[in-house]
Amino acid sequence: MFSKALEFIVGLFVLLGLAALAVLAIQVGNATFGNTDSYDLTANFENIGGLNVRAPVSIGGVRIGRVTAIELDTELYSARVTMTIEATYSELPIDTSAAILTSGLLGAQFVGLLPGGDFEYLADGDEIELTQSTIQLENLIGRFMFSGPESDSE
Amino acid sequence: MNARTTNNSSAEDALITIENLEFGFSRELIFKGMSLIIPRGKVTAIMGPSGCGKSTLLGLIGGRLKPKRGSINFAGRRVDKARGKNLYALRREMGMLFQNSALLTDLDTFENIAFPLREQTALPEEIIRIIVKMKLELVGLRGAAELQPAELSGGMARRVALARAIALDPRLVMYDEPFVGLDPISMGVIVKLIRELNDALSLTSVVVTHDVQEGLSIADYVYILGDQNVLGHGTASEIQNSEDPMVRQFIQGLPDGPVPYQYPANPYADDLRHD
Amino acid sequence: MVRYRISTRLIPMPMIYAMIRTIGELGARTVGMVRWAGKGAGFLLPSFLGMLAVLRRPRLIIQQLYSVGVLSMVIIVIAGFFVGMVLGLQGYIQLSAYKAESALGLGVALTLSRELGPVVTALLFAGRAGSALTAEIGLMRATEQLAAMEMMAVNPYERVIGPRFWAGIISMPLLAAMFSVVGIYGSWLVGVGQFGIDHGIFWSTMEAGVDFGEDILNGVVKSAIFGVVVTGIALFEGYYAKPTSEGVSRATTRTVVNSSLCILALDYLLTSLMFAGPA
């Protein structure tokens, strides 16, 4: 009653299902298997706009890590962003600067790093001192509308 | 085994002893204070009008139903007290033929008979094959091993189910209405099989039926149930000559008698009058 | 006393009777629900034990995987493909209004992996496999096959319920994953093939925006839970179906209706638990 053909078809079914899961995980979901080594950096921003946890951290558009925590620094009253950087990118100069950028006009926000020229490198737990907050569209528009003529008269 | 004694049933000869049985699905009782003895090695017919609890009795003997009061003894062990593994151990000594055969529809004839063997034993495939062929030969269906249950006629399905019921060589085989819906030839075959298997395999058989002629023709001993209890019992000839009015009504198939033709109702004239 | 007189005038007697009746009905319904829950617990516990026991006999599970999983595959794949194409079409029309077509891949992948994959698969599964399970077991009950098994000292929870439960739980996440993948390719066909979105952008926005743990894994967990619920309801309804043709047909209907409602309600609950707020 129990045929090999049935066994084979069921095996194929399970295999197809697992393959679908693998496609979802790797091609769609960008899964990283195994604990890849990484280290943490922090940076304080005056304003992070709509930056979210899990937002990418990139250099020149190449993703090198993710934002893992955002909290308020109660001493400076600024936003403290913690980023996890993959260990392969361990040689970031200590005068690297960080900026919150937007992909496209209405796209998601991410942290862009701009490496400096120092020969000392950032280590786990270090802080990026040079930061540039998000460019707020409202402020830009406001400045454009009200400051234009004034600067002319001065 | 002292299977073929012609004496009347005594306590030692009893395979099943039921004492003071009380049972009901709801508050209404089907059995009340009923006692009966199934003699070892004989064919016992349980007869009675529809709804008197004949099939229920088989459920109680098989331990699928639990009595409210009383005891059911199978070969010295209490069926009503058995649970789990003990109950399953008891059931391995019983075979049952269900009214509509209850063959497993996803298995063919061969596998249906092999089913209890595969589930209950660790026999090698070769031996299972031999046992199944033997059981099929006993019911005359060795050629039908490959057929699916849907391809079997009613009579053949019942014979396959019978072969399955005796696959594990039980001590007791219970038949639930084995003659219902069969043509005369198939019916004759089943009657012959019940008798032959009982004698050849030293079984004890319990046949539940409302078919008076077949029941009386096949049975060594007869119980007639009704009114929550045993109405009468005895050998087939004793029952046929019984003076008890209820037994007579049932045996002779009279429409009216102690069992009323009318369902209890208001007086007819009252019911028709508009008010 | 004065207050009491006013209140009886304000609330006429028939209304009080109606209230008492309503409370009575509520009580009866509660009793009914408790009884139903008791029946459910009385079914789940032996089913669970049966599932454990049947692990020793994987062949029984494989057989059920065929009738529950493999036979549901065709409908799931076809449905997934069309749902994906519709998502691609609608998504493109809406997104292109904001010149954001590039987000199509991301939108479709998130929609499918988080919601539509698990939910639509579970709904289709309830209609295709759930109803079949209920009818099969209901008929086994009606034709005394379950009673016959018991009399052959075979536990139906182990032999019948257990393997089918496993098959449902294993099949559902696999089917949901197939649904999502086929759906994504369906939307790819529309977005990239028909409207000319860049192939690379379609996949890279998806890859950047979909998180494995947050989105994919949660979707898989969701569909596994749906698998338990749908299969459980189907088996329960079949096992307790009235052993008549009408009883089995009603039980089959109840399986589809109840499991569909459970899926949708549970989906809201699970979504709010899993994806609560932008963390």
Side-chain angles (χ1 to χ4, degrees), chain A residues 25-94:
Chain A
I26 295 163
Q27 185 153 11
V28 178
N30 194 17
T32 43
F33 292 104
N35 273 346
T36 48
D37 281 344
S38 61
Y39 64 103
D40 285 358
L41 294 178
T42 59
N44 277 30
F45 294 93
E46 247 172 67
N47 192 327
I48 58 164
L51 188 72
N52 281 330
V53 172
R54 290 204 300 112
V57 177
S58 60
I59 296 177
V62 179
R63 199 178 67 79
I64 61 164
R66 282 189 187 279
V67 173
T68 48
I70 297 171
E71 65 233 325
L72 188 67
D73 187 327
T74 44
E75 275 175 39
L76 301 165
Y77 290 103
S78 61
R80 184 175 189 78
V81 174
T82 310
M83 296 162 269
T84 299
I85 310 292
E86 288 168 30
T88 10
Y89 310 104
S90 62
E91 300 188 344
L92 298 177
I94 53 169

Side-chain angles (χ1 to χ4, degrees), chain C residues 9-50:
Chain C
R9 210 183 301 154
L10 286 176
I11 308 169
M13 284 315 272
M15 204 180 274
I16 293 174
Y17 289 142
M19 274 167 66
I20 291 171
R21 215 171 30 242
T22 313
I23 293 170
E25 268 168 30
L26 191 73
R29 205 161 283 183
T30 313
V31 169
M33 266 167 66
V34 169
R35 191 170 295 159
W36 185 85
K39 219 158 120 185
F43 176 76
L44 277 181
L45 184 68
S47 302
F48 181 69
L49 295 177

Side-chain angles (χ1 to χ4, degrees), chain B residues 162-241:
Chain B
L162 183 49
R164 184 180 67 178
I166 57 170
L168 287 171
D169 294 321
R171 308 167 106 184
L172 169 75
V173 178
M174 295 182 272
Y175 301 85
D176 190 2
E177 300 283 8
F179 311 120
V180 167
L182 292 184
D183 61 273
I185 300 173
S186 303
M187 183 128 62
V189 169
I190 295 285
V191 168
K192 177 172 148 281
L193 275 175
I194 292 175
R195 172 47 72 189
E196 280 183 357
L197 290 176
N198 188 76
D199 295 349
L201 305 176
S202 327
L203 296 170
T204 300
S205 306
V206 177
V207 182
V208 156
T209 179
H210 57 246
D211 231 309
V212 176
Q213 287 320 312
E214 269 66 32
L216 288 177
S217 74
I218 202 174
D220 298 315
Y221 206 78
V222 178
Y223 280 94
I224 298 191
L225 303 188
D227 218 6
Q228 304 177 334
N229 214 320
V230 176
L231 288 181
H233 61 99
T235 60
S237 56
E238 280 168 11
I239 287 291
Q240 251 158 342
N241 302 324

Side-chain angles (χ1 to χ4, degrees), chain C residues 196-240:
Chain C
I197 298 175
D198 183 72
H199 173 81
I201 286 177
F202 182 86
W203 290 109
S204 63
T205 54
M206 196 185 296
E207 203 179 320
V210 180
D211 185 68
F212 175 69
E214 181 95 344
D215 301 317
I216 308 288
L217 222 53
N218 274 347
V220 172
V221 170
K222 232 186 205 182
S223 57
I225 293 173
F226 290 159
V228 175
V229 171
V230 174
T231 319
I233 289 176
L235 295 175
F236 174 81
E237 290 292 354
Y239 204 78
Y240 286 104

